[in-house]
Each structure stands twice: as C-alpha cells, then as structure tokens.
Amino acid sequence: MKTNILGVGIDDLTLNEAIDAGMAFLEQDTFHYVVTPNPEFILSAKKDAVFRTILNQADLALADGIGVVYSAKILGRPLKGRAPGVDFAQGLMTRMAHTGQALFLLGAKPGVAEAAAENLRKAYPGLNICGTHDGYFKEDGPVIDAIRAAKADVVFVCLGAPKQEFWMTENGPKTGAKLAVGLGGCLDVFAGNVQRAPEVWQKAGLEWLYRLIKEPSRIGRMAKLPLVLVDAFGARLGGK
Ligand code: UDP
C-alpha cells in the first residue's frame, strides 16, 4: 500500500526494505522500474498527469527528499524516513557485487558514466558493470540496442526528471533488463564530480542546503520547493 503524498504514491519503506524489494524484482522475469520522488517531482506531477501516472504506476517509489518526509508528516501520514535514490543505488550495488548481476549506467555528460564505472568497480569489487552511455543522445534505438547487447539486468537511468521516468517506461521493457531505476544526478556523484553532503548534514535533513551552497545556481529550482509544504498544509486543513 502506497502513502499518498499530494497525489503521488510513496512506498513507506526503510532503505533496507527498499533494497530487498529491488533485489526481489531481479528474481522475476518481467520488467520493473523504480522512481525516487523529491518535492520537485511532486510539483511537476501536479501539473503533468502523464508524469503523475508514471510515478504512481512505478513498482517502487522512494521518498528521496526530506521535503517528501516533511510533507507526509504535515499530512498526518508519516513515513518511516527517507530512502534517497543514491543510497538505494549503493545498496543494490553492494548486493549485486555478490550476485554477479549486470549493471548498465545510462546518463550524464559524455565521459561521466565511464568515470563513474571506474570508481564503482573499485568501490564494489566484483560488481559487473556491463556498459555505459551518456545521456545526451538523439535516438533511443542505438541506446536500447547497446543495453540489450550488454545483457544488463539493471539500468541506472540518470537523465534528470521527468525525462528519465518517461524514458524508463517507454524504452525500459525493450532493453531486456529486469529493473530500471531513475536516479537523477547520481552518476555525477559516483564520478566524483559532485560531492554529497557530509553525513551530519544528511542526518539533520539539510542535504538540500549543502547542495544549494555548493551549486548556488540551483536557487531558482529550489525556491519553489517550500510550495510542496504549503500544499501539504493546505491539504491537511482541507481534510484531504
Ligand atoms: N542529463 C542527461 N541528459 C539530459 C539532461 C540531463 O543525461 O538530457 C543528466 C545531467 O547531466 C545530470 C542529470 O541528468 O547528470 C540530472 O541531474 P539533476 O541534478 O537535474 O538531477 P537531480 O539529482 O536533481 O534529480
């Protein structure tokens, strides 16, 4: 059962439960996809019904941002906590390094996915990264073919939202992979181009502030985010 946060269903799972669920998808033969909504997703989904449907039909929707957790609290439907996409990805890779399932990295600027693959192979000895592709391609066909030829079990789709969610649902089943995960800017983090906030900041729910300090140009995007909390208050007062 998903928790409805302003029209978007979120799975109320701890990070470990989410990783278990992700690994369980790999035991099945059908295609599954995972989304990692943050407040920006919820605001976009409010205006874009197709995006909203894609999020709501995901096999797993994880509370990526602290804003989603706060909104849930305001709505009176508290979640167990955050399950950030980047932590979910790391948990999957830890397990996949033992199971041998193949991972394909798709997205980011040319060269970034390769650099990420190099770092990840060192960080997770035994991890089978079967291929990479940048996220600035014009035609889907060759990318689908590359993933299929690499025999990927899992694809990290890092094209930014909502592009990656549209891509996963339209093309994911054609790749032959069992699982696609939409992970935004994760490859930039794995490549070492973007630093995550230190753990104390993460625990304090201030990862967004750290990111803003590091990338002040995000202020325009971030300024809209409190709107999600305002919406949550409005919905609570309206009894929704
Ligand atoms: N990106 C891409 N193709 C595109 C647009 C964006 O591969 O057509 C990549 C971009 O290079 C970055 C990621 O998608 O690596 C999106 O990063 P952003 O910071 O927007 O994502 P967030 O982590 O905030 O979801």
Side-chain angles (χ1 to χ4, degrees):
M1 245 277 284
K2 298 202 191 236
T3 304
N4 180 348
I5 308 294
L6 302 169
V8 175
I10 302 289
D11 286 284
D12 184 17
L13 299 176
T14 64
L15 180 62
N16 276 332
E17 288 167 343
I19 296 163
D20 286 343
M23 290 306 289
F25 294 145
L26 299 181
E27 304 296 316
Q28 300 169 29
D29 285 330
T30 46
F31 172 75
H32 294 80
Y33 69 97
V34 177
V35 296
T36 55
N38 60 29
E40 264 184 296
F41 283 55
I42 293 177
L43 291 175
S44 303
K46 196 172 147 187
K47 295 193 203 119
D48 182 340
V50 181
F51 183 44
R52 189 164 65 237
T53 303
I54 290 176
L55 295 180
N56 284 328
Q57 288 180 349
D59 298 287
L60 206 53
L62 304 178
D64 185 70
I66 194 72
V68 177
V69 173
Y70 284 151
S71 299
K73 234 183 237 174
I74 293 166
L75 286 163
R77 294 170 213 139
L79 297 168
K80 287 175 185 163
R82 272 176 88 201
V86 60
D87 294 338
F88 176 72
Q90 286 172 330
L92 282 188
M93 290 189 288
T94 302
R95 306 264 193 104
M96 288 170 69
H98 296 286
T99 59
Q101 280 136 331
L103 173 66
F104 194 101
L105 306 178
L106 171 63
K109 296 202 175 121
V112 175
E114 286 82 351
E118 209 178 307
N119 290 343
L120 293 172
R121 283 190 188 107
K122 283 186 206 136
Y124 302 90
L127 180 65
N128 174 11
I129 299 184
C130 61
T132 59
H133 198 292
D134 70 81
Y136 293 85
F137 48 89
K138 294 218 166 65
E139 288 173 42
D140 296 327
V143 179
I144 295 166
D145 291 346
I147 298 172
R148 186 168 270 286
K151 298 196 184 331
D153 294 299
V154 180
V155 188
F156 287 173
V157 184
C158 306
L159 306 173
K163 192 172 178 177
Q164 63 201 10
E165 285 73 25
F166 283 100
W167 201 90
M168 285 195 291
T169 47
E170 198 185 327
N171 301 308
K174 301 178 203 161
T175 63
K178 291 181 189 156
L179 177 64
V181 189
L183 287 168
C186 275
L187 293 181
D188 297 302
V189 175
F190 297 147
N193 299 340
V194 170
Q195 258 73 48
R196 271 195 92 184
E199 221 170 302
V200 262
W201 289 63
Q202 291 181 33
K203 288 214 170 108
L206 291 174
E207 194 158 13
W208 60 271
L209 179 60
Y210 186 85
R211 200 158 178 200
L212 182 60
I213 293 166
K214 290 277 171 184
E215 297 172 69
S217 60
R218 294 178 79 91
I219 186 72
R221 268 170 82 171
M222 283 192 168
K224 285 187 262 149
L225 303 189
L227 285 178
V228 106
L229 302 180
V230 173
D231 275 0
F233 271 116
R236 179 74 189 258
L237 292 175
K240 281 186 227 161

